[in-house]
Amino acid sequence: QATTAGGKRPLTEDAVTSLSLFNTKVTGEGLKALARLKNLETLTTHSDQVTDAVLKALREHNMLHVLSQATTAGGGVCSRPTP
């Protein structure tokens, strides 16, 4: 589910500021498409979706900052602060 800064459904890729990938089968390869979302600020996923491949894909596209949370190897949750 994609939304704009105002919480509405975006009409263009440039309007997407938030994207939820809950209940999807996201892969590192699939995340390469996110590079087109130039104004993406927040990416929300289920913690078990954040694999090494996903992190690598986000890093390669300079998009690690959009990930809203991840789970550490020990099971702890790492959340980025909200502005």
Side-chain angles (χ1 to χ4, degrees), residues 1-82:
Q1 178 179 358
T3 57
T4 66
K8 299 188 184 230
R9 186 176 180 149
L11 299 177
T12 66
E13 288 180 351
D14 287 340
V16 176
T17 59
S18 179
L19 182 64
S20 174
L21 296 176
F22 276 110
N23 298 319
T24 64
K25 295 188 187 283
V26 66
T27 64
E29 186 67 28
L31 285 177
K32 291 180 181 180
L34 296 182
R36 297 188 323 244
L37 305 177
K38 302 296 182 194
N39 294 312
L40 186 64
E41 296 173 0
T42 304
L43 176 65
T44 306
T45 66
H46 193 274
S47 59
D48 64 359
Q49 292 174 293
V50 182
T51 63
D52 288 345
V54 167
L55 291 173
K56 181 180 178 187
L58 290 172
R59 181 177 48 88
E60 286 173 354
H61 289 44
N62 196 29
M63 296 184 77
L64 276 173
H65 66 281
V66 302
L67 190 61
S68 64
Q69 74 176 26
T71 304
T72 67
V77 175
C78 300
S79 296
R80 86 176 152 83
T82 54

